[in-house]
Amino acid sequence: MNKLYIGNVSAEATEEDFETLFEQWKIPHSGPFLIKNGYAFVDCPDEKAAMRAIDILSGKAELHGKVLEVEHSVPKRLRSCKLQIRNIPPHMQWEVLDGMLAQYGAVESCEQDFTETDVSFIVFRAMEKLNGSMMENYALKVSYIPDETAAPEGPSVGGRRGFNTRGPPRSGSPSLGARPKTQSEVPLRLLVPTQFVGAIIGKEGATIRNITKQTHSKIDIHRKENAGAAEKPITIHSTPEGCSNACRTIMEIMQKEALDTKFTEEIPLKILAHNNFVGRLIGKEGRNLKKIEVDTGTKITISPLQDLTMYNPERTVTVKGTLDACAKAEEEMMKKLRESYDSDMAAMNLQSNLIPGLNLNALGLFPSGAPGMGPSMSSLPPPGAHGGCSSFGQGHPESETVHLFIPALAVGAIIGKQGQHIKQLSHFAGASIKIAPAEGMDAKQRMVIIIGPPEAQFKAQCRIFGKLKEENFFGPKEEVKLEAHIKVPSCAAGRVIGKGGKTVNELQNLTCAEVVVPRDQTPDENDQVIVKISGHFFACQLAQRKIQEILAQVRRQQQPKPAPGAQPPLPRRK
């Protein structure tokens, strides 16, 4: 299979451009380039040359301002739901890959293949969007595996993209077997007094092994975190029922140890909950939490926002009552947290693949330990510092300024008591956040000035949209829609609009946001004009990212071209 498909091809690209590109990188080809509308095909003399072209060019090389996508061309009749994923980190665990693949659909089965220099998984029903995505500084390489069992057909008609499964589904590997669909595996995170950790582990780990076996769970006791602290976190991975059973068993062990050591203080149940979900756990005017207290006969308190830091986005939920009451409260609260997680992940999965470079791990919007969410937040570097390379581009991303307009009555909620909320938000997002003075006494809107790199913008704006919803500035069935302004160089405004408004219309259709470049603007002192974006959170984010893509393209085209005979530039790496 030595025929290559080249995607994201500019309308300006010619056969001579491709000849020059392949010659620059010494990639042989055995036939002419067949250029279509937005894509092209070419034959390579052997598999080695085809793989070299994919490795060097795909997602890295640019032609007329567009980053090329290069992959094997698979005839439509031979396509299956089977993909090969290569260049996986050698120490990668299945659960990590499984969580990442879950963003694109159900994984029916997989088989593992070890070679001298590579570890690869062959995965079904995963999207080809994975090709080139980063995992621990490894760029994954994904390609179709032909369906050899497909019946021969005549030439196919229609577009190239998409899965077109032929024949019966393939069975999984005997070693790993088919993986059934699982419900959301949000881990249960507990805080336990340090003096009880030894009893929970047991002699030579016997007790913790027994709990793990009986409850079908994986339990991590983070003994080395916060050396000398009075409490240690425990993370329980299992089904909701398994988490609850493990939690009850751990509480029983602590109660017994307290009796044996004549420890007289009350031992409450302490659950760590990600701050993004706490508002929905509490409910409007505290109704959800009050109902859980009444139904279970417990007293529940939640740690203040002031305890949050960028590296600790969790709040402590303390439950006091009998062991049975605490166990029942845990079930009710975790049910609410899992519902919030599922809701947010569903919204994120619909949009994340559309937002260029969106790195869910870096954003820190979801609980640590959840599938695909990476390590705990305490081990994450600040945004833009992941291995020295931001997920939004090469090196440290440039800082951006966004003016977000909120209802004037909501200013107090965003600032918080003595400015605590806006300080916490600024620290959590890694952005500068300021409220501009009101333009008049009767102003109905106030401008929030947010300065920071793309991921900081995402986090800050996400929290502001969420806060307005939580504080009921929008109705229960009303979607939060805000207006954002970004400034672009006046020379680039035409590129945002496009010929006859084509670009801005396509932008609005893609993002579902309203994008307006007001006519007859006078550029400011920096020769910039305003672009107005209105819509819900994901629409605004996607529109901002797409406009920044256009601006980056303009900047690249304005860079001086190298002199003839100069060394060809290195391919752009993700």
Side-chain angles (χ1 to χ4, degrees):
M1 187 169 62
N2 305 324
K3 187 172 187 175
L4 293 180
Y5 165 85
I6 306 173
N8 200 33
V9 174
S10 169
E12 303 169 18
T14 64
E15 188 173 346
E16 289 73 21
D17 292 331
F18 283 110
E19 292 277 2
T20 303
L21 182 67
F22 272 59
E23 187 179 333
Q24 273 185 351
W25 298 108
K26 297 180 173 59
I27 302 170
H29 59 93
S30 55
F33 290 87
L34 181 60
I35 301 176
K36 301 287 186 179
N37 186 19
Y39 59 96
F41 295 100
V42 68
D43 288 313
C44 288
D46 51 41
E47 178 68 9
K48 184 178 179 182
M51 289 307 303
R52 176 174 166 79
I54 292 172
D55 291 342
I56 291 178
L57 302 179
S58 187
K60 302 168 188 174
E62 289 185 11
L63 197 59
H64 294 289
K66 286 197 169 187
V67 180
L68 300 176
E69 298 172 7
V70 183
E71 61 189 54
H72 285 293
S73 174
V74 182
K76 206 166 189 178
R77 67 179 183 276
L78 295 182
R79 289 183 202 162
S80 68
C81 288
K82 194 171 186 180
L83 300 178
Q84 183 182 53
I85 304 179
R86 298 179 300 110
N87 202 33
I88 295 172
H91 57 280
M92 188 273 313
Q93 295 180 344
W94 160 256
E95 289 78 8
V96 177
L97 181 65
D98 191 24
M100 186 177 75
L101 293 173
Q103 300 177 50
Y104 303 103
V107 178
E108 189 174 280
S109 60
C110 90
E111 53 192 90
Q112 193 174 16
D113 172 41
F114 291 94
T115 65
E116 291 182 4
T117 59
D118 198 10
V119 179
S120 69
F121 279 90
I122 298 174
V123 184
F124 299 89
R125 291 185 184 170
M127 290 183 64
E128 57 187 324
K129 288 268 184 187
L130 284 170
N131 190 35
S133 60
M134 300 298 293
M135 176 181 276
E136 300 181 19
N137 295 325
Y138 286 75
L140 299 181
K141 302 187 185 306
V142 183
S143 56
Y144 280 110
I145 294 178
D147 185 358
E148 299 89 351
T149 64
E153 295 180 9
S156 299
V157 180
R160 169 186 150 67
R161 295 294 184 183
F163 295 94
N164 190 9
T165 312
R166 309 265 184 197
R170 293 170 177 258
S171 59
S173 163
S175 58
L176 288 175
R179 293 181 59 88
K181 287 186 180 180
T182 59
Q183 48 195 318
S184 65
E185 299 172 8
V186 178
L188 171 61
R189 300 255 298 155
L190 305 177
L191 265 185
V192 302
T194 302
Q195 64 261 42
F196 296 135
V197 169
I200 294 169
I201 295 173
K203 187 176 181 180
E204 297 179 350
T207 304
I208 195 71
R209 280 199 302 273
N210 191 41
I211 299 172
T212 299
K213 186 176 180 180
Q214 288 181 351
T215 62
H216 304 287
S217 59
K218 178 178 180 292
I219 303 175
D220 296 321
I221 300 178
H222 309 282
R223 287 180 291 173
K224 296 182 180 180
E225 288 187 17
N226 305 323
E231 295 172 312
K232 297 290 183 182
I234 294 178
T235 304
I236 304 170
H237 300 266
S238 186
T239 61
E241 183 182 358
C243 287
S244 295
N245 290 339
C247 176
R248 174 183 279 273
T249 304
I250 288 171
M251 287 193 290
E252 290 172 349
I253 291 170
M254 290 195 294
Q255 296 281 8
K256 183 177 183 302
E257 182 69 8
L259 286 173
D260 293 345
T261 58
K262 297 180 180 179
F263 184 83
T264 55
E265 295 180 23
E266 183 180 7
I267 309 171
L269 170 64
K270 291 189 177 182
I271 297 174
L272 295 173
H274 198 282
N275 184 55
N276 275 21
F277 308 142
V278 168
R280 282 166 281 183
L281 173 63
I282 296 171
K284 187 177 180 180
E285 298 176 355
R287 290 174 190 167
N288 290 347
L289 210 56
K290 286 175 186 174
K291 185 177 188 303
I292 294 173
E293 286 182 319
V294 171
D295 291 347
T296 62
T298 55
K299 176 65 177 173
I300 303 174
T301 56
I302 298 178
S303 62
L305 274 168
Q306 288 88 326
D307 294 348
L308 291 176
T309 67
M310 183 175 180
Y311 297 107
N312 178 29
E314 294 173 309
R315 293 168 72 178
T316 305
V317 183
T318 303
V319 186
K320 293 184 178 181
T322 64
L323 191 149
D324 287 339
C326 288
K328 189 176 179 184
E330 177 273 326
E331 291 179 15
E332 293 297 319
M333 287 191 296
M334 287 305 297
K335 181 181 177 183
K336 215 40 149 172
L337 294 176
R338 288 184 184 103
E339 287 173 356
S340 300
Y341 170 84
D342 288 342
S343 174
D344 285 6
M345 280 303 295
M348 185 69 83
N349 287 339
L350 286 172
Q351 301 289 340
S352 62
N353 63 310
L354 296 176
I355 302 178
L358 180 60
N359 184 336
L360 299 184
N361 287 335
L363 295 175
L365 299 176
F366 298 101
S368 55
M373 294 301 107
S376 66
M377 281 297 294
S378 59
S379 65
L380 285 176
H386 297 268
C389 181
S390 165
S391 61
F392 280 87
Q394 188 174 1
H396 293 284
E398 290 185 12
S399 185
E400 300 171 2
T401 300
V402 176
H403 295 167
L404 190 65
F405 291 84
I406 64 172
L409 295 175
V411 169
I414 298 299
I415 294 175
K417 189 177 180 180
Q418 297 180 337
Q420 283 298 317
H421 184 266
I422 199 168
K423 287 177 185 174
Q424 291 288 346
L425 176 56
S426 178
H427 191 56
F428 167 72
S432 166
I433 305 172
K434 295 178 181 178
I435 309 287
E439 294 185 355
M441 293 293 291
D442 299 326
K444 293 183 179 180
Q445 289 189 319
R446 292 284 292 276
M447 184 169 70
V448 182
I449 305 170
I450 307 170
I451 303 174
E455 280 160 1
Q457 290 285 350
F458 188 100
K459 292 163 76 174
Q461 293 179 47
C462 177
R463 191 69 197 101
I464 291 172
F465 272 77
K467 186 69 172 174
L468 296 180
K469 185 69 172 179
E470 288 171 15
E471 299 290 341
N472 300 313
F473 288 102
F474 292 79
K477 295 184 179 180
E478 186 181 4
E479 198 168 27
V480 179
K481 291 186 177 181
L482 300 177
E483 183 173 304
H485 292 182
I486 61 176
K487 290 187 175 183
V488 304
S490 59
C491 62
R495 292 290 294 274
V496 176
I497 298 171
K499 188 175 181 180
K502 181 182 177 183
T503 303
V504 77
N505 288 335
E506 289 177 350
L507 196 58
Q508 292 183 124
N509 291 334
L510 172 67
T511 66
C512 299
E514 183 182 353
V515 181
V516 177
V517 184
R519 295 179 178 276
D520 304 324
Q521 285 191 75
T522 302
D524 62 13
E525 64 276 7
N526 296 319
D527 196 30
Q528 293 181 319
V529 294
I530 291 172
V531 177
K532 297 181 179 181
I533 304 166
S534 303
H536 59 75
F537 171 68
F538 280 114
C540 281
Q541 283 301 304
L542 182 51
Q544 288 175 41
R545 299 272 54 84
K546 289 296 183 183
I547 291 171
Q548 292 296 342
E549 270 192 337
I550 293 171
L551 298 181
Q553 195 176 88
V554 171
R555 285 193 293 269
R556 285 196 298 268
Q557 291 176 348
Q558 289 176 344
Q559 288 176 354
K561 294 185 178 179
Q567 187 76 13
L570 290 173
R572 190 172 69 89
R573 298 197 175 273
K574 286 195 168 187

